[in-house]
Each structure stands twice: as structure tokens, then as C-alpha cells.
Amino acid sequence: GDSVTQMEGPVTLSEEAFLTINCTYTATGYPSLFWYVQYPGEGLQLLLKATKADDKGSNKGFEATYRKETTSFHLEKGSVQVSDSAVYFCALSDGPYKYIFGTGTRLKVLA
Amino acid sequence: GAVVSQHPSRVICKSGTSVKIECRSLDFQATTMFWYRQFPKQSLMLMATSNEGSKATYEQGVEKDKFLINHASLTLSTLTVTSAHPEDSSFYICSARGGGRNYGYTFGSGTRLTVV
């Protein structure tokens, strides 16, 4: 079945460092891909998404490109801030209502 | 924007007791709600889908008699873990899908259940 694999955390970075969180997927169809973020004590929030190959999703300085050839959707940010500390979930959806999530990666940014 | 309130955020209960988790859509009507659980270092897994006024649809391997879901109104869904055991300890999170112009998915903040 479909699945999402993302790198284990925690990831600890200094402020202004470059961030990459890897995410790869397996799917039989043509899923949409998502990154969700969960800040402490809050629900999951949609960070960005891409619905087809080569699409780039971006939001709040974060970017991810839907790479069909490598089945990847890596999350990147050029310069992280302390306020970016959160848990990041990669997910795919290949039909209504059906989300498949990765395990989540905890990011800790130090001042 | 759309907000989903999930309560409680943390609960500790004794084996054999039941625990109810509430999920409320605060500013929209949620025609469909979803319940997920996450074991440590594992993915969020969909447990069940509930539509207002009808029985929930459970994913394969999820015991419907153990995880009772009630979606009695357009703003409230509840998950009751009956006769809880330590292996039920997990992180449970709901999401809601609105009708009308709001077709997005909004997640609650999650509930950390510990059964001792």
C-alpha cells in the first residue's frame, strides 16, 4: 500500500542554519503531497502542498518540490528561526478523505 | 480560520476504565470527522471516519467495539476508548472536514492517553 517515510528526528539546528527534512513516498497512483506542522500544544496545520509532479509548494520561507522520478518531497528552508521549532509531518493523499502520514520529525532551533 | 478544539490534551487512566475524547469544530460545521492515532516513532494512522448522523467507518484492524465514535452533531465528534489497557496508550488526534465553502481539513491539538 501507499506509505510515507521521513527522516527521524530530532533535528537540532542553530538559528539561520539551512534546513532539510527528507520525505519519500510510495504510491500506486498520483497522490497530492503535503507538509504539516505542529507547534507545541496546537493541532496540525497545513504548511504547504503540491498536487502534481514538478510542482513546488512554498509558505513562510519553506519549500518542497514534488519529484516523481525520485518519489520525494523534501522540505527545505534557507534560514531557520527559533519560532520554527515544531514537529513536521509529511503526508500524501490519493483520494478523498485519505491521508497517509509520515512519523513526524521534531525540529529544534537554538538561538 | 477554521478551528477544531480537542479535549482533553492529556489524560491518565487506570486499566479497565473508559476514556472519552471530544473533538469540536468551533466556527464551522464539520460534515466529516476523522480520528487518527500515533504510536511512538510511528506514523499517524487513520482509525475511523465519521459522518454526522451515521455510523463511523473503521479502518481495517481497528476494533469498533473498543473505540466508540459518536458524531451526533455537525460540531461534535467523540471517541471513547472502552476498557482501556496499557497498549491503548497513544496519541489520538482528530480532524474535521467542513461542508459548504469550507472543504479543507482542520486538525485538533491531539490527546495523549496513558493507561496505567
Side-chain angles (χ1 to χ4, degrees):
Chain A
D2 296 356
S3 66
V4 172
T5 302
Q6 62 181 106
M7 59 190 294
E8 276 195 42
V11 174
T12 303
L13 296 173
S14 298
E15 208 165 20
E16 298 184 3
F18 185 87
L19 168 72
T20 300
I21 300 178
N22 290 339
C23 172
T24 56
Y25 68 91
T26 58
T28 52
Y30 301 93
S32 295
L33 301 175
F34 307 82
W35 276 100
Y36 279 83
V37 58
Q38 184 176 30
Y39 298 104
E42 299 183 18
L44 272 67
Q45 302 173 27
L46 178 63
L47 180 60
L48 54 85
K49 68 177 182 181
T51 58
K52 61 183 188 297
D54 299 326
D55 267 4
K56 177 186 283 188
S58 61
N59 185 25
K60 300 182 181 179
F62 291 90
E63 291 183 341
T65 301
Y66 190 142
R67 302 278 189 207
K68 190 167 181 292
E69 65 276 14
T70 55
T71 61
S72 65
F73 193 55
H74 304 323
L75 182 68
E76 297 182 335
K77 186 174 185 183
S79 176
V80 292
Q81 305 299 313
V82 172
S83 57
D84 294 326
S85 298
V87 180
Y88 293 83
F89 291 89
C90 184
L92 70 80
S93 177
D94 60 1
Y97 307 146
K98 292 285 189 176
Y99 276 84
I100 296 172
F101 288 88
T103 54
T105 302
R106 183 174 299 279
L107 170 66
K108 186 173 182 180
V109 181
L110 305 175
Chain B
V3 177
V4 170
S5 173
Q6 185 172 343
H7 180 80
S9 58
R10 292 180 182 273
V11 58
I12 301 173
C13 70
K14 292 184 178 180
S15 285
T17 61
S18 295
V19 174
K20 180 184 284 188
I21 302 169
E22 292 188 348
C23 183
R24 293 181 184 272
S25 58
L26 297 186
D27 49 3
F28 67 101
Q29 293 183 326
T31 53
T32 306
M33 287 189 173
F34 308 86
W35 288 95
Y36 294 82
R37 68 184 297 184
Q38 183 182 29
F39 293 105
K41 298 189 177 182
Q42 296 188 28
S43 303
L44 276 167
M45 301 296 294
L46 180 66
M47 297 175 66
T49 303
S50 70
N51 292 297
E52 185 265 339
S54 63
K55 289 185 179 180
T57 302
Y58 290 82
E59 296 299 302
Q60 192 173 6
V62 177
E63 298 175 60
K64 62 180 181 181
D65 294 330
K66 180 165 190 60
F67 298 99
L68 300 180
I69 292 172
N70 188 307
H71 192 164
S73 77
L74 283 171
T75 59
L76 174 64
S77 177
T78 59
L79 167 67
T80 301
V81 183
T82 62
S83 187
H85 288 94
E87 57 265 30
D88 298 324
S89 298
S90 189
F91 181 72
Y92 295 86
I93 193 165
C94 67
S95 74
R97 182 177 186 271
R101 286 180 293 178
N102 179 13
Y103 287 106
Y105 296 87
T106 305
F107 286 82
S109 55
T111 298
R112 174 75 59 192
L113 170 64
T114 303
V115 184
V116 298

